[in-house]
Amino acid sequence: MPFAFINGFNMFYKEQGTNNVPVLFIHGFPLSSDIWDEQLNTLSNKTKVIAPDLRGFGKSEFTDVLYSMELFAYDLKSLLDSLNIKKVILAGLSMGGYIAFSFYRLFQTSVYAMMLIDTRAGADNEVGKKNRILLAQRARMGEKEKIVNEWVEKLLSSQTIKTKHDIVSKIRQIIFDTQSETIARVSLAMMERHDSTSLLKDITCPTLVMVGEEDKLTPVEEARLMASQIRNAKLEIIKHASHLTCIESPEQVNKALIKFLSDL
Ligand code: MLT
């Protein structure tokens, strides 16, 4: 799998399939492109799929800069430019959705369609902001093990945790492998992100909003509200999943993604 040297660092990305407008899968926090393995394997039979590790995550290099959702959006645009891709379908999960909103704000004409998965448009409230600062401090103090345990609980449904040990260990490993300084800087970057609520009415491309029925971080009601404010949005609620629908209920997610893509 290749690396692209863009914006002063080596970005790792997975690329499979051919034809059509590519789907760009943007992972959440504190994760990596490995969360999309089931989507890449299935969708690449039908279309081109690209899944990068964001700057500082997975196999992509960390750089000593101020992180922001816009920085990630610029990185993704540079990756697409380096691959000579003019139009893209964005599929962002959670933080990946925050980045998709930034990308849309900056490069609207390059966006053919969007899939907003287990994400929200609103900014953090005061309690949320305090928690981001606390997480950054704890990551820098070396509390990785505790952070891994807490995030597994937040990201996966209790049923997944009880019965799907392969998924739990995969997610544990991805979080454990994420550098503490990446966790710290990106936690603060999410705290500073724009409120994208007012953007929703201006989104004109076809959009799929997807959410796990048991999502504790970005609940169904938020997804429903978000979908109602986007002109061309469809809403899909994924059963037997919490926040990481793509890995907890991959068959249902893939079916919905394929249906959405074939209707475009
Ligand atoms: C994510 O999954 O990307 C994070 O839960 C997003 C967040 O903490 O707001």
Side-chain angles (χ1 to χ4, degrees):
M1 289 289 176
F3 284 87
F5 186 75
I6 49 135
N7 302 349
F9 76 103
N10 281 305
M11 176 177 247
F12 172 81
Y13 64 100
K14 299 172 183 169
E15 188 182 24
Q16 280 174 242
T18 50
N19 297 334
N20 300 330
V21 180
V23 181
L24 180 68
F25 285 99
I26 316 169
H27 64 77
F29 171 91
L31 302 166
S32 78
S33 59
D34 288 351
I35 64 164
W36 300 115
D37 287 347
E38 299 277 354
Q39 283 66 48
L40 264 50
N41 287 337
T42 302
L43 269 72
S44 60
N45 294 325
K46 302 189 181 298
T47 193
K48 188 180 179 78
V49 287
I50 301 169
D53 286 343
L54 295 165
R55 188 191 291 239
F57 291 90
K59 298 188 184 67
S60 288
E61 277 178 318
F62 172 85
T63 60
D64 186 14
V65 292
L66 187 66
Y67 279 60
S68 67
M69 299 303 109
E70 287 71 31
L71 179 77
F72 289 136
Y74 277 109
D75 287 345
L76 294 175
K77 183 66 168 68
S78 298
L79 174 68
L80 296 175
D81 289 346
S82 77
L83 300 172
N84 207 17
I85 292 167
K86 306 266 180 285
K87 287 258 182 201
V88 74
I89 297 164
L90 300 175
L93 183 137
S94 200
M95 180 181 76
Y98 312 157
I99 298 167
F101 287 131
S102 288
F103 191 102
Y104 192 86
R105 222 179 265 115
L106 291 164
F107 311 112
Q108 182 178 345
T109 54
S110 302
V111 182
Y112 189 75
M114 280 208 284
M115 311 185 198
L116 300 170
I117 307 168
D118 298 284
T119 192
R120 59 154 56 93
D124 287 351
N125 60 22
E126 286 312 308
V127 175
K129 286 186 183 184
K130 284 204 183 105
N131 287 335
R132 300 287 194 202
I133 294 171
L134 199 60
L135 177 62
Q137 288 168 343
R138 292 176 58 216
R140 285 180 173 140
M141 280 171 359
E143 290 194 17
K144 179 70 86 52
E145 194 67 44
K146 281 191 192 151
I147 292 171
V148 170
N149 292 337
E150 285 166 19
W151 277 80
V152 164
E153 295 277 333
K154 283 189 199 193
L155 297 173
L156 300 171
S157 74
S158 48
Q159 193 62 13
T160 301
I161 293 173
K162 259 191 237 130
T163 59
K164 298 186 182 162
H165 298 135
D166 49 338
I167 293 180
V168 176
S169 49
K170 178 171 176 163
I171 295 303
R172 286 188 67 83
Q173 194 61 50
I174 295 175
I175 302 176
F176 194 80
D177 289 344
T178 304
Q179 293 185 45
S180 295
E181 190 55 24
T182 298
I183 292 180
R185 288 194 196 198
V186 179
S187 181
L188 299 176
M190 287 193 290
M191 177 183 82
E192 298 286 356
R193 75 183 187 278
H194 286 283
D195 189 322
S196 296
T197 311
S198 64
L199 178 73
L200 299 179
K201 63 178 183 338
D202 299 328
I203 295 176
T204 50
C205 65
T207 303
L208 176 66
V209 175
M210 194 183 274
V211 64
E213 64 177 350
E214 295 163 44
D215 193 331
K216 293 160 266 187
L217 289 175
T218 51
V220 171
E221 278 328 302
E222 288 221 26
R224 210 184 284 285
L225 189 65
M226 188 163 65
S228 74
Q229 293 175 60
I230 302 174
R231 229 171 297 172
N232 289 318
K234 296 190 176 78
L235 175 68
E236 192 77 41
I237 298 170
I238 304 295
K239 292 204 184 338
H240 312 301
S242 173
H243 193 60
L244 291 190
T245 45
C246 60
I247 197 162
E248 296 185 88
S249 292
E251 293 86 9
Q252 213 191 324
V253 167
N254 290 346
K255 203 167 147 208
L257 295 183
I258 289 168
K259 165 94 175 64
F260 176 72
L261 292 174
S262 62
D263 288 347
L264 289 177

